[in-house]
Amino acid sequence: GNEGKALRLLKGHEEAITALEGIDGGNGSVCLVATGSADRTIRIWDSRAKKAQVFLLRGHGDAVNVLRWGDGGRSLVSGGKDKSIRIWDTRAGRLRVTVEKHFGSVHGIRVLTENAFRVGGSAASITNGSLSSGTASAATSSKESVSFVSAGRDPMMHAWTANGDCIASSSAHRGAVTFLSDIHYNLTYRLHSHSNNAIGNPLMLSLGTDNMIKIWDLKRLKAIHELSAVNNAVNNAGNNALNTTTINNTTNNATNATNNNNSINNTANNNNSNTSSINNTANNTTMATTTGTIMHNLSKAVWTGPQSFVTATSSGIVKLYENIPEAGTSTCIISDWSCKDLSTHSQGCTDLISSELFVASSSKSGKILRWSTTS
């Protein structure tokens, strides 16, 4: 196939780059890129400028694990191996606030779109140490928006405002949280078949060392369902919904692939808090009907469509989860997930991405697998 061409080489970091995040500059182009490094610095680059480096941001005491743009590019949220989360003003190039509530290295941060929902009023409120629907308590009367959620190498997940105030916390998994997925805005669900209430709130997946996949309603700040990945190798009778393509490798079994891993290892952390807890009672736990081996070490997850997502493990297993909408509607029952095997890499998965046309996974072997999401 055609080889890509480097448009520009950006130099500056003194050690390995451990995090990278671009922001859309319009017309599908990426003009600003933020990079984090094991050298404890963050650099913001403008690919259009003659001098590409716009800002050098210092503050983290250890490697930078994760970067996310916020406020439409006006801020940048970073998580580090030093257990801290830092919010940066990208217009002035300075640190706005530092927060430390995780017990270990922070590796997961997800930012919600502006005005996705507000805490207070008719959205979600904190009452008696937990979250519920209804009128805001005095503690949340400022009606500040939940801006982002974070996770690290401990069981905790925290919800934050753009100013760095922790609104709520949850013991999300029985063990460390290993990954937070992208946020999904296009799934309408009902909690069970006899419910008349269709809900269309932003959803996110979390993965843990307990081999559980949890689905979070971020407006309600609640785990609404969980799936067990143990013995989750599904009966593969019938056709998979995704068609597989192997890139840069002609064999079906990746046993002889060249090991040229260039992945960024975003290992993370967490710290304690005394804030209100997120209601973490999932309505149901699903264990898919399966035969096969145990699915170890969930490491990545990505939404692939309105009612589907894909997971990958550090041992190389890739699986598709689907939820078929009710007849004549676009609404699904949140507990009705089926699971299909997509593939098994010979070595661990390093990344998982999705677009309107395909989902792709890479592995430590250097092999990339791609599945079409169109028929």
Side-chain angles (χ1 to χ4, degrees):
N2 296 330
E3 293 187 4
K5 181 180 178 181
L7 299 177
R8 191 167 185 179
L9 180 63
L10 306 176
K11 292 184 177 181
H13 287 293
E14 298 175 357
E15 295 185 42
I17 294 174
T18 51
L20 183 149
E21 182 84 347
I23 188 167
D24 192 349
N27 300 320
S29 64
V30 175
C31 58
L32 290 179
V33 175
T35 55
S37 171
D39 66 10
R40 301 178 295 179
T41 69
I42 298 168
R43 296 169 193 260
I44 298 178
W45 313 83
D46 187 341
S47 60
R48 304 162 299 182
K50 184 175 181 180
K51 184 180 178 181
Q53 183 173 300
V54 179
F55 291 119
L56 170 61
L57 307 176
R58 300 181 185 273
H60 279 286
D62 209 326
V64 179
N65 290 328
V66 58
L67 297 169
R68 301 291 178 202
W69 292 97
D71 298 327
R74 297 184 296 273
S75 67
L76 183 72
V77 185
S78 63
K81 197 174 179 180
D82 61 359
K83 308 177 186 179
S84 74
I85 297 171
R86 296 169 191 262
I87 304 174
W88 308 84
D89 185 333
T90 56
R91 293 171 293 184
R94 62 178 179 82
L95 179 64
R96 184 186 297 169
V97 66
T98 300
V99 293
E100 296 183 359
K101 295 189 75 66
H102 285 287
F103 296 124
S105 175
V106 180
H107 61 253
I109 294 173
R110 290 295 176 178
V111 175
L112 284 95
T113 58
E114 292 182 273
N115 300 319
F117 59 87
R118 287 186 177 276
V119 172
S122 60
S125 63
I126 302 173
T127 55
N128 300 322
S130 63
L131 286 162
S132 60
S133 297
T135 304
S137 66
T140 58
S141 59
S142 61
K143 297 185 181 180
E144 289 187 280
S145 297
V146 176
S147 178
F148 64 94
V149 292
S150 66
R153 187 171 287 178
D154 65 23
M156 301 303 296
M157 188 171 78
H158 302 296
W160 306 85
T161 70
N163 294 323
D165 298 321
C166 187
I167 291 177
S169 299
S170 171
S171 180
H173 286 271
R174 295 183 297 276
V177 181
T178 58
F179 190 76
L180 300 180
S181 80
D182 52 324
I183 297 172
H184 189 28
Y185 297 91
N186 299 314
L187 190 151
T188 302
Y189 72 88
R190 293 195 291 146
L191 290 173
H192 38 73
S193 59
H194 53 274
S195 170
N196 295 322
N197 187 22
I199 304 169
N201 298 334
L203 301 180
M204 184 187 71
L205 306 169
S206 69
L207 311 179
T209 55
D210 55 2
N211 276 325
M212 299 300 294
I213 305 163
K214 291 198 176 183
I215 304 175
W216 295 85
D217 183 322
L218 293 180
K219 184 173 182 178
R220 302 169 68 199
L221 292 174
K222 180 179 180 180
I224 56 173
H225 191 63
E226 59 185 32
L227 301 100
S228 173
V230 177
N231 289 326
N232 212 4
V234 179
N235 239 333
N236 242 342
N239 296 320
N240 282 352
L242 303 183
N243 301 315
T244 310
T245 303
T246 303
I247 301 175
N248 295 332
N249 200 318
T250 57
T251 60
N252 290 330
N253 297 318
T255 54
N256 299 315
T258 304
N259 188 353
N260 62 348
N261 173 30
N262 290 321
S263 68
I264 296 174
N265 185 358
N266 285 343
T267 307
N269 49 40
N270 271 346
N271 183 333
N272 60 7
S273 76
N274 58 0
T275 56
S276 303
S277 63
I278 297 174
N279 188 341
N280 187 26
T281 304
N283 289 346
N284 292 297
T285 300
T286 296
M287 293 187 68
T289 304
T290 71
T291 57
T293 58
I294 292 176
M295 184 178 184
H296 289 294
N297 302 324
L298 286 163
S299 60
K300 303 288 182 182
V302 64
W303 293 98
T304 57
Q307 294 94 17
S308 63
F309 63 88
V310 169
T311 63
T313 72
S314 58
S315 57
I317 301 170
V318 183
K319 292 182 177 292
L320 168 69
Y321 291 81
E322 292 182 296
N323 194 317
I324 306 302
E326 298 174 285
T329 75
S330 59
T331 302
C332 64
I333 306 301
I334 200 63
S335 59
D336 291 348
W337 294 92
S338 63
C339 177
K340 298 178 181 179
D341 292 322
L342 290 184
S343 185
T344 301
H345 288 283
S346 63
Q347 298 183 39
C349 292
T350 56
D351 207 357
L352 196 61
I353 62 171
S354 176
S355 74
E356 292 181 357
L357 300 177
F358 67 88
V359 57
S361 67
S362 60
S363 78
K364 292 181 179 180
S365 67
K367 181 179 180 181
I368 299 174
L369 293 177
R370 185 177 69 183
W371 297 270
S372 172
T373 56
T374 58
S375 56

